[in-house]
Amino acid sequence: MATQFGALVHGRRADTDAASSVEARSVEEGRVVALVAVQGNLATPSLEGIKGALARLARVSDGAAATLAAATPPPPYCSGASVVLLLGDVAHVASTGGARCYRERGGVLEELAAGAHDARPGDAFVAASHTGLRTGQAFFTTDIRSAADAEFRNDALDAALGSALAPYSALVAVAAARVD
């Protein structure tokens, strides 16, 4: 499956910070892509903690996303972390604190519970640093460009993410993937 990726931070910074990233690495089962979003006073070091845990990940099991999401310092340093691990046609998701994971399928955004979820062509997965994305309606409001010129790109969804987050004024970090 071809997939497009993007990550950005949107909104006005206040007392807290937010960070997001898309990371890829090889594990026993193949290539895994991690969508990560964190919020807290030390969002960037918290993100680095998750990236370090991802670097040590040998295989993706049912608890792998939860292990990565928990690889952050306690509040207020990290008030929420969300992780989506994409491996083949499965998305493993987990979140801590106020962070949430979502899937848009058929033009409807839904919040995902921790665990494994199927990934179909046309699905979009979003790791968000906090709750508040509007479910029950479309998240992406603009066409998403194809990124066929590279195997792994972090900016293919950035314009669509920017447009989707325009109505939100609160600080939010998101990392997303769209399965083609």
Side-chain angles (χ1 to χ4, degrees):
M1 260 188 240
T3 306
Q4 300 172 54
F5 308 98
L8 59 84
V9 176
H10 170 82
R12 202 177 112 232
R13 295 183 190 272
D15 295 337
T16 190
D17 198 7
S20 61
S21 184
V22 177
E23 305 290 328
R25 72 175 302 265
S26 295
V27 292
E28 287 180 17
E29 301 92 333
R31 182 173 160 244
V32 65
V33 175
L35 311 175
V36 182
V38 296
Q39 187 163 357
N41 292 345
L42 297 176
T44 300
S46 298
L47 178 63
E48 292 303 318
I50 293 173
K51 289 165 70 173
L54 176 65
R56 294 185 298 276
L57 187 68
R59 60 186 325 264
V60 176
S61 63
D62 286 340
T67 299
L68 296 181
T72 60
Y77 308 112
C78 181
S79 56
S82 61
V83 175
V84 176
L85 296 175
L86 293 170
L87 181 65
D89 60 357
V90 177
H92 298 269
V93 304
S95 58
T96 64
R100 295 291 181 265
C101 298
Y102 301 88
R103 174 179 57 201
E104 184 182 79
R105 175 176 281 167
V108 177
L109 186 69
E110 63 179 321
E111 187 175 320
L112 296 176
H117 301 270
D118 65 319
R120 299 180 191 160
D123 285 352
F125 290 89
V126 180
S129 62
H130 73 286
T131 60
L133 296 187
R134 296 178 193 104
T135 58
Q137 60 190 23
F139 177 69
F140 289 103
T141 56
T142 61
D143 288 337
I144 299 171
R145 306 180 280 116
S146 178
D149 61 333
E151 182 182 351
F152 181 75
R153 282 180 59 150
N154 274 3
D155 63 350
L157 282 184
D158 287 350
L161 282 171
S163 178
L165 293 172
Y168 297 91
S169 60
L171 179 68
V172 61
V174 295
R178 182 173 181 274
V179 180
D180 290 332

